[in-house]
Amino acid sequence: MPTLSPDAADTIRLVRELELLDETAIRLLEQLFTNRLDEELVNSLIHGKETAVAVALFKVCAGTHSVHIIGFALRFFADLVCVDSALGTQLGREDLYARFGANPAQQFLTTAQQYHDKLGITNPALYLAATALRHGDAAKNKDSFDLFFCFAKTAFAPDTLYVKDVEFTVQACVQLARSKALRHLFFDYDMMQYIPRLLTDIVSNDSASIIQLIYETLLLTWLLSFEYEGIVQLVRHRIIPQLHRVLQRVQKEKCVRVALMALWNMVEAERKYVQHQLNPNFTEWVDPGITVLAKLQERHDGAGGAHGAPIHGRRGPSLVAEMVSVGMIKTLNQLQRRKFGDEDILVLVEDLNRALEQNMEVLTSFSEYRGEVLSSYLEWTPVHTSAKFWKENAQKFEENNYEVLSVLGKLILETKSDVTLAVACHDLGEVVRYHPTGRNLLTLACLAGVKERVMTLIVPPARGDLEGGAALHAEDHGAGGGSLFSREAVAEVEVHLRPMSGHRDHASARGC
């Protein structure tokens, strides 16, 4: 027959000594403590008595200063709330504050603050505080939210993140994010910057605990991706490459499923945004807040366009383009060959793959490329690294009196954006590589001074990593990482800019 554990026995004894509860409540606690491993029996004991159980456990947590009893009671309370959500709802009921004797959210946060160096107390206290805040009146809990997010930022700030230090805080954040009305707080308190790190910078000797934390972080990401502002901030903080990394490296089905669901929310958001922009009278209802996705096309470097005009950026958020550029299609194809116990995963994989492949044709079309170049703002979108695109479209650069080539040249000469400059140099090298006239294109009047400009970008190698060649300024250029100018691009441009004979071919004779 189950018996009370030493911690449970100490708790019951102290409750009686301090007269925190009446005998009926004490007997209920004894039954719960004794049968804590029997989930079905625990549920039956709690059912219909959620208020009494919540009040009893809260009084135990708030009414003693014994560290090991507070820790035991908080952990037990948090475990019960995980099992029975109705129990957690009681913590947010303002009409019960008199019976609790305090505001539960404030009390739990005060406890966490008082015992900040004891994770066995702080972690469950934060989780219970988040539960109380989720079900309470947000307008009356401003100070509690301030304190909660202060705790969360402190937990997520260290360079090295240990599972034991952040696991309950992440779970607490998930509790808050389950409420649509509270998701804006993650944006208001600037919490989005920490989420991608929780997928990559976690340390633990227990791989199972890392997987569980990744799952909780993915759950938080998915919940916040239902908000358009959430998508904007997640993407700005490089969440797409991290979700791709999860799909590549994590085998656990629940992690794969939630990562795919978060990506699907982004794909759907972009689809609705584009449809809304093209046809404002579209019959499908769209949240007016979707216009916030336009932030993803805004420029932040203050650079002007090649013609001195303001840069307006791309025509919409390029979420699908970024997914393609990080290699998502290849990864999805690999996932399609896996056998999953959850059939919904394969459905998600197929839907996502279909959406990406349908967009791939558009993303790598010459008209799309022309629009990007004429916007005077270039990014490492899929079209730039598609050999198929360059082979099929090299001669189209002659159209409209070398219009696109002319703008590329102006960008190389005038842009203040390092990324745009890098992409423009790369693209010029690809045009020269695949165009029938090759290097002779560089003698066109519209490219006057371009060769000299590119040569000034080639500097001696800083670490001797390019033998007798050139190294260009290193900087992360987006999803692919690495140097600002890829070594291949450097080599290509350098080859095509070597001195040529003085003759002019038919292309240069026509000018631009």
Side-chain angles (χ1 to χ4, degrees):
M1 181 176 178
T3 58
L4 288 174
S5 68
D7 283 339
D10 288 346
T11 301
I12 294 297
R13 183 170 57 254
L14 186 64
V15 167
R16 281 199 169 101
E17 288 176 0
L18 298 178
E19 298 181 350
L20 294 175
L21 302 171
D22 60 31
E23 197 58 34
T24 300
I26 291 175
R27 283 197 297 272
L28 177 58
L29 284 185
E30 283 182 321
Q31 288 180 298
L32 289 171
F33 290 160
T34 302
N35 299 285
R36 64 191 181 281
L37 300 180
D38 188 334
E39 185 174 329
E40 185 176 346
L41 181 55
V42 167
N43 283 332
S44 67
L45 289 170
I46 294 175
H47 183 67
K49 304 184 186 72
E50 288 85 1
T51 299
V53 172
V55 170
L57 284 172
F58 179 81
K59 287 186 174 181
V60 173
C61 295
T64 178
H65 297 289
S66 171
V67 172
H68 84 280
I69 289 179
I70 293 175
F72 169 76
L74 285 170
R75 291 190 295 273
F76 185 78
F77 200 174
D79 287 342
L80 287 185
V81 168
C82 287
V83 172
D84 190 330
S85 59
L87 189 62
T89 304
Q90 311 306 310
L91 295 174
R93 289 177 54 185
E94 193 173 354
D95 61 309
L96 292 179
Y97 284 4
R99 291 183 62 183
F100 284 128
N103 178 327
Q106 291 178 357
Q107 180 61 47
F108 287 131
L109 287 168
T110 299
T111 300
Q113 191 174 38
Q114 183 178 354
Y115 298 97
H116 63 89
D117 57 338
K118 294 178 173 58
L119 293 178
I121 293 177
T122 301
N123 284 340
L126 279 178
Y127 178 80
L128 290 168
T131 303
L133 289 171
R134 173 190 172 190
H135 296 292
D137 186 338
K140 296 181 179 179
N141 280 308
K142 171 86 169 52
D143 291 342
S144 295
F145 281 118
D146 288 344
L147 188 53
F148 174 84
F149 284 108
C150 180
F151 269 112
K153 286 185 176 182
T154 301
F156 298 154
D159 292 336
T160 302
L161 299 173
Y162 294 94
V163 169
K164 63 182 178 61
D165 294 336
V166 299
E167 56 184 340
F168 273 85
T169 308
V170 173
Q171 290 177 22
C173 287
V174 170
Q175 278 289 323
L176 291 183
R178 289 185 184 279
S179 170
K180 179 177 176 61
L182 299 180
R183 290 173 190 160
H184 71 93
L185 295 173
F186 289 88
F187 321 141
D188 297 344
Y189 285 94
D190 196 22
M191 292 299 299
M192 307 298 281
Q193 60 180 309
Y194 301 105
I195 294 178
R197 289 192 60 223
L198 291 167
L199 294 174
T200 58
D201 297 347
I202 295 298
V203 176
S204 175
N205 293 325
D206 179 15
S207 60
S209 66
I210 292 179
I211 293 299
Q212 182 60 28
L213 183 61
I214 288 175
Y215 170 70
E216 295 285 350
T217 303
L218 290 170
L219 199 56
L220 179 61
T221 302
W222 172 61
L223 289 168
L224 294 174
S225 71
F226 280 98
E227 308 303 317
Y228 294 126
E229 178 64 30
I231 290 176
V232 169
Q233 295 201 26
L234 285 167
V235 171
R236 281 182 172 174
H237 290 295
R238 313 291 299 128
I239 196 64
I240 289 177
Q242 303 306 342
L243 292 175
H244 180 235
R245 179 187 173 111
V246 168
L247 294 178
Q248 286 181 306
R249 302 187 180 189
V250 179
Q251 297 297 310
K252 200 70 172 178
E253 286 193 11
K254 64 181 183 180
C255 294
V256 173
R257 182 180 65 251
V258 181
L260 290 169
M261 290 192 299
L263 289 167
W264 182 252
N265 279 356
M266 296 178 193
V267 169
E268 277 291 277
E270 181 172 347
R271 180 189 68 79
K272 290 179 180 179
Y273 177 88
V274 172
Q275 186 65 57
H276 179 67
Q277 293 298 104
L278 294 176
N279 182 11
N281 297 320
F282 187 50
T283 55
E284 180 181 1
W285 182 85
V286 176
D287 184 340
I290 199 170
T291 56
V292 76
L293 292 177
K295 290 182 181 180
L296 290 174
Q297 69 190 60
E298 292 175 357
R299 296 296 307 279
H300 299 284
D301 58 11
H307 301 282
I311 295 176
H312 300 291
R314 296 179 61 80
R315 291 186 295 277
S318 53
L319 307 180
V320 171
E322 184 171 352
M323 292 179 199
V324 172
S325 69
V326 299
M328 194 75 72
I329 290 179
K330 178 180 178 181
T331 300
L332 291 173
N333 287 334
Q334 292 171 341
L335 289 175
Q336 282 182 312
R337 295 193 289 270
R338 275 184 58 183
K339 293 186 181 299
F340 293 101
D342 184 349
E343 295 180 357
D344 290 341
I345 293 180
L346 275 181
V347 174
L348 275 169
V349 170
E350 291 169 0
D351 288 346
L352 195 56
N353 201 18
R354 188 180 305 112
L356 265 58
E357 288 183 340
Q358 287 174 350
N359 278 274
M360 187 65 177
E361 184 175 344
V362 176
L363 291 171
T364 56
S365 69
F366 189 77
S367 61
E368 177 77 6
Y369 175 79
R370 176 179 177 274
E372 183 181 1
V373 173
L374 295 185
S375 78
S376 301
Y377 176 40
L378 304 182
E379 298 173 299
W380 289 105
T381 51
V383 66
H384 303 285
T385 54
S386 170
K388 181 174 181 288
F389 169 81
W390 296 109
K391 289 176 183 177
E392 294 178 353
N393 295 287
Q395 288 186 268
K396 290 185 179 179
F397 283 80
E398 298 177 10
E399 295 176 357
N400 298 323
N401 199 25
Y402 293 93
E403 173 194 40
V404 175
L405 197 62
S406 175
V407 176
L408 274 180
K410 287 182 178 293
L411 286 175
I412 292 173
L413 293 172
E414 300 176 9
T415 185
K416 300 298 189 295
S417 166
D418 286 344
V419 175
T420 295
L421 179 59
V423 179
C425 286
H426 167 273
D427 289 2
L428 179 60
E430 294 299 282
V431 175
V432 171
R433 181 208 296 261
Y434 290 105
H435 194 276
T437 62
R439 294 195 300 267
N440 290 318
L441 283 174
L442 297 171
T443 63
L444 290 167
C446 62
L447 295 181
V450 171
K451 179 176 71 173
E452 291 75 16
R453 166 63 172 150
V454 174
M455 294 302 292
T456 65
L457 300 173
I458 301 176
V459 297
R463 293 180 294 275
D465 56 350
L466 292 177
E467 296 182 7
L472 295 182
H473 309 289
E475 180 177 309
D476 187 354
H477 64 63
S483 63
L484 180 61
F485 294 75
S486 68
R487 294 185 182 183
E488 292 81 1
V490 172
E492 188 66 35
V493 173
E494 190 177 20
V495 166
H496 296 316
L497 296 186
R498 288 173 183 167
M500 297 180 292
S501 59
H503 77 276
R504 296 169 62 86
D505 69 347
H506 68 284
S508 60
R510 281 182 285 171
C512 291

